[in-house]
Amino acid sequence: MFAAYVTVTIIGAVFTGAAAVFYLIGHDFPKTQADMKRVPRSWVPRLGWCLAAGSLGLLAGFAVPLLGALAAAGLILYFVGAFIAHLRVGSRQLVGPAVFLTTSIAAFVLNLSYHA
């Protein structure tokens, strides 16, 4: 159980951390995604900071388990919102949000299971 908890949490932190970097450095991909989903570009850095906070929170969860669980829960809400944003505009490119959402759910469940 411990190995699964650590592995999934680190993978989730790396995934969301990498996405946060792309959002925060002004890469074109998040901007085009925001345009496609009809989200204001001014939200892109804020969304990047949310991803960065979630990523750091997952890692901080190794020291403070409640913080890791809350970070995973926040990321779940974030990626549910991303999923809804894709569906709202009729996008069928759902693999990305689904992978991130699944990883966040797994990190949340494993955090709660391991520390219960």
Side-chain angles (χ1 to χ4, degrees):
M1 175 64 90
F2 178 73
Y5 163 61
V6 169
T7 302
V8 169
T9 300
I10 290 174
I11 288 171
V14 168
F15 280 2
T16 56
V21 168
F22 281 110
Y23 275 67
L24 292 172
I25 65 171
H27 195 271
D28 286 336
F29 181 74
K31 292 176 185 176
T32 58
Q33 288 295 307
D35 292 342
M36 188 229 0
K37 294 175 200 126
R38 289 181 250 143
V39 172
R41 281 193 177 194
S42 63
W43 288 15
V44 172
R46 293 179 186 127
L47 294 172
W49 284 113
C50 289
L51 289 169
S55 179
L56 292 174
L58 287 177
L59 295 176
F62 290 126
V64 183
L66 178 61
L67 187 57
L70 292 173
L75 287 171
I76 290 168
L77 293 174
Y78 179 96
F79 292 118
V80 166
F83 213 87
I84 290 169
H86 275 270
L87 293 175
R88 182 175 57 95
V89 296
S91 172
R92 297 295 176 237
Q93 300 171 354
L94 302 175
V95 173
V99 168
F100 280 96
L101 179 61
T102 303
T103 305
S104 299
I105 292 170
F108 180 72
V109 169
L110 288 170
N111 181 308
L112 293 181
S113 298
Y114 179 72
H115 293 292

